[in-house]
Amino acid sequence: MTNLSLEFRITRDGQLLEQYYQLRERCFRSELGLSDFDGSEDEQDRRSHILVALREGRCVGGVRISSHISLTSQIDLLGLNQETCCMWERFAIDPTMRTLYLFREFSMHLIDASLESGYSNAMVLSSLTNARFYRRCHTALGVKFQIYRHVPHCAQGVFSGLEHYLSVAHLERSRALRIAV
């Protein structure tokens, strides 16, 4: 898979969004065992930026970049500025397309899109296994990614019972490294 075969963009295109919503529903149901998960568009999607990865015009991955953060107490505890903090949520990549190359490229575009939107930190809730993978990938890109704490009280709705760890990607360091290169 070459770089030319992938495109990354923030989208409001209804057809691409529907492809992303269907993909995340399939991924969350099969990989997280959430048989009742409804991946269709919700209010949070409408208030957020959706970054998609496209291959030959088809959505093969997506993530929600949300300015709405329900973890305000965690923002305060971590000393982050709520105005420059976002949440990366509902990350999904087509299982048939998953490669380290795709994840690295997706991560770079996610970081850039978040910086361009004015964010300097991104909060992530995930399993510990995923948090460790994200940390390795972001560290390789020069982005400080810290796993802070287990936050079981954040698991709500269909996500109840799943492991939740709070992590933060500190994006400003990425900007400094790119300028220096």
Side-chain angles (χ1 to χ4, degrees):
M1 184 182 321
T2 66
N3 191 24
L4 298 176
S5 66
L6 290 173
E7 178 187 352
F8 300 87
R9 68 171 126 146
I10 298 289
T11 190
R12 293 275 181 216
D13 178 281
Q15 188 174 14
L16 294 176
L17 289 173
E18 185 57 35
Q19 289 176 26
Y20 163 62
Y21 300 144
Q22 289 174 5
L23 173 64
R24 77 180 182 191
E25 183 171 298
R26 283 191 313 272
C27 289
F28 282 43
R29 284 182 175 195
S30 67
E31 295 167 23
L32 298 177
L34 300 174
S35 59
D36 294 334
F37 179 75
D38 178 5
S40 61
E41 183 181 63
D42 61 25
E43 182 59 34
Q44 191 70 354
D45 292 317
R46 290 185 285 277
R47 297 187 323 196
S48 302
H49 297 292
I50 306 293
L51 176 68
V52 293
L54 305 173
R55 182 162 189 220
E56 298 175 359
R58 183 177 66 87
C59 178
V60 296
V63 65
R64 178 166 72 192
I65 304 169
S66 176
S67 63
H68 177 74
I69 300 175
S70 58
L71 307 170
T72 53
S73 64
Q74 298 297 320
I75 290 174
D76 295 339
L77 286 172
L78 298 173
L80 301 175
N81 179 345
Q82 186 164 356
E83 297 299 315
T84 60
C85 194
C86 66
M87 287 289 298
W88 289 342
E89 303 172 313
R90 307 286 169 98
F91 188 68
I93 292 182
D94 183 331
T96 65
M97 298 293 301
R98 287 185 193 154
T99 63
L100 284 177
Y101 171 79
L102 176 58
F103 193 82
R104 182 180 57 98
E105 290 294 307
F106 202 112
S107 296
M108 284 192 321
H109 284 85
L110 178 57
I111 292 163
D112 288 344
S114 298
L115 284 167
E116 288 169 12
S117 296
Y119 301 115
S120 54
N121 295 290
M123 299 175 77
V124 180
L125 287 176
S126 67
S127 68
L128 184 56
T129 299
N130 284 350
R132 288 175 175 158
F133 177 71
Y134 300 154
R135 181 176 58 196
R136 281 195 310 274
C137 292
H138 284 81
T139 300
L141 294 171
V143 174
K144 183 178 177 182
F145 189 94
Q146 289 181 277
I147 302 168
Y148 282 97
R149 60 181 61 93
H150 185 230
V151 286
H153 62 281
C154 293
Q156 300 173 3
V158 295
F159 299 101
S160 294
L162 293 181
E163 181 179 54
H164 280 69
Y165 279 81
L166 174 63
S167 303
V168 176
H170 301 278
L171 309 176
E172 284 302 312
R173 182 168 176 205
S174 168
R175 181 181 304 219
L177 287 174
R178 288 176 188 219
I179 292 170
V181 172

